[in-house]
């Protein structure tokens, strides 16, 4: 066994200690000298050095961690998994600011976790076309408008998480998926191909869990703290009144990160959580990439994105201009409202709206409602 593999085994074991966090880890290591020395010392020596007795000093307990860590070291070696320890130079500095940061991360992929800007995007598993479309346009605009590189962080869950990862891939933006289990599996199973594409596209899968750790529902809550702490800001896109995305938002605020939320109609179940965050001043309202860049004071390559549509589409007709103005003012409108605003028959407005959809100017939603693209 080389010294390097021995170090990895002892780091894995040390990071697995019950109740361990960076503060306690530093205190232990400052007194005992190294992880290897911690596992070699007797219970009496550890109690004497630390000035107190603790169950983590128990010999049988420490031996069991070493044995488990040997098996994990074999797994990561065979699976091209890279462990990142809290004392390593490439451990994410933002995450290390959190008192409850894990000592060890298991990573698969190449995305740097400290380069440029980091944005977490989270939301409901029951994403609507409204939320998915917003995420897609947001990342497309961020790609074009930002001078600094950006990485998108999410949790590989169904709904908004998956939309964030997929939009990142479409726009060649690095993305980091934080998992609630070991890298020996992917949950949900239907996201195996998405996880593989993330790794192939210079993204990264991240977890604090070993391949031997059981999957527990509490892991998903614990995972949220990593999503929140890794980033400069967290954006909630669609959430019911309760849900994991709101937990992530609270954690982000607790880590002194900026929190943003996409507003929605009060009648929409999966906008109620976002609207509440905004109403409580727990999150800032965001409607565009321009809002985010301005709020975060990030460097941009272009001016504000809210350039008037006539400059972008000089061939718009007078009626099309009127539709665009109507939707900009109201956010969304029913076809009958648009008909009244234009003083045109519904039949003619319908044909106009179909043409505008083909021009990728507007989107249609159930109930005959329309919004700007």
């Amino acid at each position: 066994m080389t010294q390097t593999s021995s170090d990895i085994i002892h780091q894995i074991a040390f990071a697995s200690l019950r109740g361990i966090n960076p503060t306690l880890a530093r205190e232990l290591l400052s007194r005992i000298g190294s992880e290897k020395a911690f596992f070699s010392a007797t219970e009496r020596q550890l109690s004497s050095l630390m000035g107190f007795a603790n169950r983590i000093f128990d010999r049988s307990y420490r031996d069991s961690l070493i044995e488990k860590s040997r098996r994990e070291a074999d797994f990561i070696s065979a699976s091209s998994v890279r462990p990142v320890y809290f004392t390593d130079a490439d451990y994410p500095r933002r995450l290390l600011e959190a008192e409850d940061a894990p000592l060890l991360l298991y990573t698969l992929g190449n995305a740097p976790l400290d380069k440029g800007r980091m944005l977490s995007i989270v939301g409901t598993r029951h994403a609507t076309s409204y939320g998915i479309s917003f995420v897609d346009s947001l990342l497309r605009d961020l790609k074009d408008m930002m001078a600094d590189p950006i990485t998108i962080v999410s949790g590989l869950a169904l709904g908004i998480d998956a939309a964030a990862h997929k939009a990142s891939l479409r726009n060649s933006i690095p993305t980091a998926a934080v998992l609630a289990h070991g890298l020996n599996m992917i949950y949900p199973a239907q996201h195996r191909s998405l996880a593989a594409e993330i790794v192939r596209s210079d993204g990264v899968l991240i977890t604090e869990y070993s391949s031997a750790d059981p999957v527990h529902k509490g892991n998903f809550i614990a995972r949220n703290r990593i999503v929140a702490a890794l980033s400069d800001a967290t954006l909630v896109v669609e959430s019911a009144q309760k849900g994991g995305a709101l937990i992530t938002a609270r954690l982000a605020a607790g880590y002194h990160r900026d929190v943003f939320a996409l507003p929605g109609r009060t009648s929409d179940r999966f906008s109620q959580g976002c609207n509440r965050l905004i109403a409580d001043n727990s999150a800032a309202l965001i409607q565009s990439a321009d809002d985010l860049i301005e709020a975060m004071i990030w460097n941009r390559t272009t001016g504000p994105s809210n350039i008037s549509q006539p400059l972008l589409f000089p061939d718009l007709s007078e009626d099309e201009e009127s539709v665009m103005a109507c939707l900009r003012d109201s956010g969304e409108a029913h076809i009958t409202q648009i008909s009244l605003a234009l003083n045109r028959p519904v039949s003619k407005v319908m044909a106009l709206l179909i043409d505008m959809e083909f021009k990728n100017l507007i989107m249609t939603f159930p109930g005959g409602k329309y919004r700007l693209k």
Side-chain angles (χ1 to χ4, degrees), residues 45-347:
Q45 287 173 326
L46 290 173
S47 297
S48 176
L49 280 170
M50 297 304 298
F52 59 85
N54 194 291
R55 291 181 64 183
I56 67 173
F57 301 158
D58 180 80
R59 167 55 63 193
S60 61
Y61 171 64
R62 286 182 291 146
D63 287 347
S64 70
L65 292 183
I66 289 292
E67 183 57 33
K68 176 184 174 183
S69 297
R70 290 182 192 279
R71 294 192 295 269
E72 189 62 22
D74 290 339
F75 169 78
I76 65 177
S77 177
S79 306
S80 300
V81 172
R82 187 171 67 91
V84 183
Y85 198 53
F86 82 113
T87 57
D88 292 345
D90 55 350
Y91 188 96
R93 57 181 171 79
R94 296 173 182 84
L95 181 56
L96 201 54
E97 294 170 0
E99 293 183 358
D100 54 357
L103 297 196
L104 184 74
L105 298 172
Y106 299 96
T107 68
L108 186 61
N110 298 315
L113 297 177
D114 268 335
K115 182 180 179 182
R117 310 302 187 178
M118 304 284 289
L119 173 67
S120 291
I121 299 179
V122 296
T124 179
R125 286 170 167 77
H126 306 281
T128 70
S129 57
Y130 170 59
I132 293 171
S133 176
F134 174 80
V135 169
D136 195 55
S137 62
L138 175 77
L139 296 192
R140 184 175 61 248
D141 291 343
L142 287 177
K143 174 70 173 179
D144 293 338
M145 296 171 63
M146 286 192 60
D148 300 321
I150 186 170
T151 299
I152 302 302
V153 181
S154 199
L156 201 69
L158 298 171
I160 293 299
D161 285 25
H165 294 305
K166 291 175 181 178
S168 298
L169 294 172
R170 281 194 295 272
N171 290 283
S172 300
I173 297 173
T175 185
V178 184
L179 310 182
H181 48 74
L183 289 170
N184 58 316
M185 63 173 293
I186 292 296
Y187 180 87
Q190 57 262 53
H191 283 171
R192 289 174 183 165
S193 60
L194 176 57
E197 184 62 24
I198 288 172
V199 174
R200 284 195 299 266
S201 303
D202 291 328
V204 64
L205 307 182
I206 307 169
T207 184
E208 63 181 308
Y209 298 102
S210 75
S211 62
D213 288 329
V215 180
H216 186 272
K217 63 180 181 180
N219 294 5
F220 293 87
I221 302 299
R223 176 267 308 275
N224 292 346
R225 82 190 195 285
I226 299 178
V227 173
L230 270 176
S231 298
D232 301 300
T234 290
L235 167 61
V236 183
V237 179
E238 293 194 307
S239 174
Q241 290 185 347
K242 294 182 179 180
L246 300 186
I247 294 173
T248 306
R250 288 196 294 270
L251 289 167
Y255 296 138
H256 307 291
R257 306 294 195 261
D258 290 277
V259 179
F260 300 92
L262 174 69
R265 294 179 301 187
T266 57
S267 58
D268 288 349
R269 176 187 173 191
F270 294 109
S271 286
Q272 291 174 359
C274 291
N275 291 343
R276 176 52 56 191
L277 286 173
I278 295 168
D280 292 343
N281 292 319
S282 299
L285 184 152
I286 184 172
Q287 299 180 90
S288 67
D290 203 55
D291 291 343
L292 179 66
I293 293 172
E294 182 176 351
M296 294 301 296
I297 320 178
W298 285 345
N299 295 324
R300 65 168 75 233
T301 58
T302 67
S305 62
N306 55 348
I307 301 171
S308 62
Q309 286 292 350
L311 293 176
L312 294 175
F313 303 98
D315 59 340
L316 291 185
S317 69
E318 183 178 341
D319 283 346
E320 288 172 333
E321 291 275 15
S322 298
V323 171
M324 300 294 284
C326 177
L327 295 179
R328 274 196 296 269
D329 291 341
S330 61
E332 68 174 23
H334 191 275
I335 187 172
T336 55
Q337 294 173 295
I338 299 173
S339 175
L340 288 172
L342 271 63
N343 193 26
R344 296 285 190 275
V346 171
S347 59

